[in-house]
Amino acid sequence: MAETLGILGAGKLGTVLGQLAVAAGYNVLIAGSGSKEKIELTVETLVPQAVPTTAAVACQQADTIILALPLGKYLTLSPSALAGKTVIDAMNYWWEVDGPRPDLTDPHRSSSELVAAFLKKSHVVKAFNHIGYHDLFDEPRPHGQAGRKAVAIAGDEQKYVEKAAELVERFGFDPVYAGPLAAGIRMEPGSAVFGANVAADELKKLLADFEKTKRGKEVFLARKKAERN
Amino acid sequence: MIDPQKIVFGLDSFGDIPTDDANKLMTQAQAIRQVVTEAKVADELGIDVIALGEHHRSEYAISSPETVLAGIATQTKQITLASGVTVLSSDDPVRVYERFATLDALSNGRAEVVLGRGSFTESFPLFGYDLSDYDLLFEEKINLFSRLLEEGTITWSGKTRAALDGIEVFPKTEKGHLATRVAVGGSPESVVRAARYGFPITLAIIGGSPKRFTSYVKLYQKAAQKFGTQTAPIAFHSHGVIADSDEEAMTLAWEHIRKSMVRIGNERGWVPMSRTQFEQEVKQGSIYAGSPETVAQKLAAAIRQLGAGRFELAYGAGELAATKRLRTIELYATKVIPRVREILAEE
Ligand SMILES: NC(=O)c1ccc[n+]([C@@H]2O[C@H](COP(=O)([O-])OP(=O)(O)OC[C@H]3O[C@@H](n4cnc5c(N)ncnc54)[C@H](OP(=O)(O)O)[C@@H]3O)[C@@H](O)[C@H]2O)c1
């Protein structure tokens, strides 16, 4: 039987990831912040084979959940409903949407570490955050095809990183391991990876170059200072 | 498909600051006058729409589109005078109605309001609104605005502005209805909302293939069916520059369109667009840069794919020289538009 995948967020990213998941053969459940009725038409039209539902039902029925909601709203997630699940965090801080939120741009912690600290009993892996939804729509390619693009993954537990890698692979992209969840900061806004729609080799290079970016230097200095204190 | 002769073609500007003949950046005031000049040329050349967007940032001169449009109104004859967009969330719907109804009077019925959430949110702190009310503000204000469009006596209450109790708002328009559209950037919820109110939509397609939006067009139609509202052919907006040769247009687009996108992207922590990405955008994506024939082919394909009834070219991104902007407008009007109609009629 096909594996069931839940997507929280029925916006730009959630619907495109839904399309990729359906194409990859998953049973897909999509939820917004509210009722099923509110997103029914959207899901029916944009992701015809997926099932619109509520976040509660999606969490209940799927073992793997993708977070495709505004990062500023992560505290509205239910840690108990997500307990024991593989949680793929695709969220970014976006000031236009989230407003000023120093907690979400803290140089000492990646935003995915914050999410993981909140979802204590979930297995959080960061993926799909750095590539634009239109690139996700335009660029999936079969394994091994020339020009295939890559998606970076950060996570602490190998088993769940592998699960995320399988998802990336089946969605039509090459998975690239970026390191533990703390390394997720190398994929955040301000990093050289953020917005990158490139092949695996190039993506690895960009991940390694983090320290050379403005954000990378900022993070490095802040952490150094914290060490000294 | 829509009759190719009936497709509406427009120009969009945010009031970017161009360089003058001496290669010097214009002042913001000059940039505003430049837009008026361009609109006059567009009107004379038969372009259907000029749409001006509201911004509150140093690189764009236009913060009050309807004031610039009022200036254009008195110097033009046929061109539709639209905003693109009016950031309704941080404005007062009553004032928006009043200003555009006034513009409609000045222009003999050529005003059009294009409502949107805007791709920037700097108007929120500027006018004292809280970004966390983003959804509520737009939802309530679009509701009030749709009521104002009825031009009758209005009773309304909400959380985001003072209640109206049996109030009438003036001036009334001669047609009895101010033309209104909603611009959407890719959020499915916005498409559904526009359909709920029966507003025509303009899709802002600033990156990636237009194909992605075909399902949004379907969503719009399905939603309208569900709500029993009317639909109109969709419009879309994209950036471009037209020059006598592909090479020149590519150089200008790289230098100016890309640069302005990179600058905006920087603020959001986005990596700069690479040469490969840029070329991909021009070839398969949504930057319309090239000679008239190249742009016409690309545009005709996108119009056909989306079943669109209207296209608006954002023609002057970045610090593109005023002369190049004018050249784009001339080539668009005299070569590209007729050629697009011809290509569409051929099939
Ligand atoms: N757009 C991209 O290209 C892109 C690419 C990579 C990553 N991302 C990240 O993906 C996330 C979503 O971005 P987007 O562009 O798709 O935004 P969007 O179009 O505004 O969609 C956000 C969706 O999240 C839903 N939502 C809010 N709170 C929720 C909750 N507690 N449970 C379930 N759903 C909830 C919203 O539903 P309601 O309308 O009911 O509130 C809406 O459907 C952001 O964190 C963004 O940084 C975006």
Side-chain angles (χ1 to χ4, degrees):
Chain A
M1 226 191 74
E3 198 186 328
T4 301
L5 185 71
I7 300 176
L8 304 188
K12 297 184 275 280
L13 182 68
T15 53
V16 169
L17 287 176
Q19 290 165 355
L20 296 177
V22 165
Y26 289 91
N27 288 325
V28 182
L29 302 171
I30 302 186
S33 67
S35 68
K36 170 182 159 192
E37 286 68 34
K38 215 181 129 198
I39 57 162
E40 220 158 29
L41 197 62
T42 297
V43 173
E44 223 171 77
T45 315
L46 301 185
V47 204
Q49 286 108 310
V51 181
T53 183
T54 57
V57 171
C59 293
Q60 201 178 31
Q61 296 189 356
D63 288 330
T64 304
I65 300 282
I66 301 183
L67 304 180
L69 57 140
L71 180 60
K73 294 196 172 146
Y74 83 96
L75 291 171
T76 66
L77 294 166
S78 162
S80 60
L82 288 162
K85 312 278 175 188
T86 307
V87 173
I88 314 279
D89 174 15
M91 303 182 293
N92 298 302
Y93 171 64
W94 205 243
W95 72 267
E96 303 275 354
V97 176
D98 300 322
R101 287 284 298 269
D103 57 321
L104 304 180
T105 50
D106 181 354
H108 303 100
R109 289 222 267 188
S110 72
S111 66
S112 290
E113 286 177 286
L114 271 185
V115 173
F118 179 61
L119 304 177
K120 279 192 192 62
K121 298 197 170 127
S122 310
H123 309 288
V124 177
V125 182
K126 187 181 192 73
F128 297 114
N129 78 297
H130 68 81
I131 177 164
Y133 80 112
H134 53 278
D135 291 329
L136 284 167
F137 179 90
D138 284 335
E139 303 269 11
R141 287 179 174 82
H143 184 89
Q145 197 181 86
R148 201 182 202 219
K149 301 295 166 62
V151 167
I153 302 175
D156 296 338
E157 302 166 278
Q158 195 190 347
K159 181 172 164 202
Y160 303 100
V161 167
E162 276 168 17
K163 260 184 112 169
E166 187 198 333
L167 210 63
V168 169
E169 174 60 54
R170 285 176 64 182
F171 281 13
F173 296 84
D174 283 337
V176 167
Y177 183 57
L181 220 44
I185 206 157
R186 294 170 174 264
M187 302 148 65
E188 287 181 12
S191 74
V193 167
F194 192 67
N197 168 34
V198 296
D201 288 348
E202 172 76 11
L203 187 60
K204 284 179 198 157
K205 224 173 73 209
L206 294 176
L207 281 164
D209 279 351
F210 180 62
E211 279 75 16
K212 291 187 203 150
T213 63
K214 190 167 147 248
R215 175 70 178 157
K217 285 177 191 145
E218 208 175 278
V219 165
F220 178 78
L221 286 176
R223 292 184 175 187
K224 192 120 192 211
K225 201 167 145 198
E227 259 169 45
R228 264 189 265 124
N229 293 341
Chain B
M1 217 192 75
I2 297 146
D3 176 356
Q5 292 308 321
K6 297 221 169 92
I7 292 173
V8 172
F9 290 92
L11 287 170
D12 289 3
S13 175
F14 297 163
D16 305 69
I17 318 290
T19 50
D20 61 16
D21 289 341
N23 207 19
K24 241 183 63 201
L25 267 189
M26 288 189 178
T27 62
Q28 295 193 328
Q30 283 171 322
I32 288 173
R33 292 191 290 270
Q34 179 64 25
V35 169
V36 176
T37 305
E38 288 163 351
K40 269 166 63 184
V41 172
D43 184 60
E44 279 156 20
L45 294 174
I47 290 173
D48 304 302
V49 182
I50 176 95
L52 306 182
E54 168 192 339
H55 289 87
H56 308 269
R57 313 165 54 87
S58 62
E59 67 264 41
Y60 302 125
I62 298 176
S63 57
S64 310
E66 56 284 336
T67 311
V68 184
L69 291 168
I72 295 171
T74 60
Q75 301 192 44
T76 52
K77 295 201 174 64
Q78 56 82 26
I79 198 164
T80 295
L81 307 165
S83 58
V85 300
T86 295
V87 185
L88 187 64
S89 313
S90 54
D91 211 325
D92 176 12
V94 175
R95 289 294 284 156
V96 173
Y97 171 84
E98 289 180 345
R99 296 185 323 245
F100 278 86
T102 305
L103 176 66
D104 204 56
L106 284 171
S107 64
N108 292 306
R110 289 186 279 136
E112 184 181 67
V113 190
V114 182
L115 302 174
R117 319 230 274 184
S119 51
F120 298 99
T121 43
E122 74 278 303
S123 64
F124 280 72
L126 182 60
F127 298 122
Y129 291 97
D130 192 338
L131 257 180
S132 61
D133 295 331
Y134 193 81
D135 290 321
L136 177 72
L137 284 164
F138 195 72
E139 196 61 72
E140 273 201 13
K141 289 183 177 187
I142 198 169
N143 174 275
L144 172 55
F145 194 75
S146 75
R147 298 282 315 284
L148 288 160
L149 288 175
E150 295 162 11
E151 300 191 14
T153 307
I154 176 164
T155 299
W156 180 93
S157 67
K159 295 195 190 98
T160 55
R161 101 181 279 296
L164 298 170
D165 187 9
I167 301 267
E168 265 192 276
V169 177
F170 309 101
K172 307 282 185 200
T173 64
E174 285 166 335
K175 290 176 300 204
H177 197 84
L178 199 53
T180 305
R181 319 178 62 88
V182 171
V184 301
S187 147
E189 200 198 339
S190 307
V191 174
V192 174
R193 187 191 297 106
R196 181 147 44 85
Y197 287 104
F199 288 132
I201 58 171
T202 302
L203 301 167
I205 310 189
I206 51 173
S209 70
K211 185 170 149 224
R212 173 167 48 97
F213 285 88
T214 53
S215 54
Y216 283 75
V217 177
K218 231 191 294 165
L219 178 62
Y220 168 63
Q221 285 156 348
K222 267 204 194 164
Q225 210 171 31
K226 178 175 149 190
F227 300 124
T229 52
Q230 278 189 335
T231 58
I234 65 117
F236 68 107
H237 138 121
S238 297
H239 286 279
V241 57
I242 308 161
D244 293 282
S245 70
D246 283 344
E247 297 71 44
E248 187 190 355
M250 284 293 273
T251 306
L252 294 173
W254 172 260
E255 182 56 32
H256 299 286
I257 299 179
R258 176 191 175 268
K259 202 159 140 193
S260 74
M261 288 181 170
V262 167
R263 194 184 42 220
I264 293 161
N266 268 340
E267 283 176 28
R268 297 174 176 177
W270 206 253
V271 283
M273 187 191 279
S274 67
R275 183 74 202 184
T276 326
Q277 273 174 309
F278 169 75
E279 281 171 10
Q280 168 102 353
E281 263 319 322
V282 173
K283 227 186 258 154
Q284 279 137 22
S286 291
I287 294 179
Y288 294 79
S291 63
E293 181 63 20
T294 303
V295 171
Q297 292 291 351
K298 184 178 166 72
L299 190 50
I303 289 174
R304 196 180 316 114
Q305 191 159 50
L306 294 167
R310 167 161 157 176
F311 171 74
E312 291 169 26
L313 180 75
Y315 65 92
E319 296 167 1
L320 187 64
T323 50
K324 303 292 180 195
R325 285 170 43 160
L326 271 170
R327 188 70 186 142
T328 291
I329 294 170
E330 276 164 23
L331 292 173
Y332 182 53
T334 59
K335 298 248 168 74
V336 174
I337 295 172
R339 182 70 182 125
V340 171
R341 295 196 205 279
E342 194 179 271
I343 298 167
L344 290 172
E346 272 165 18
E347 287 134 32

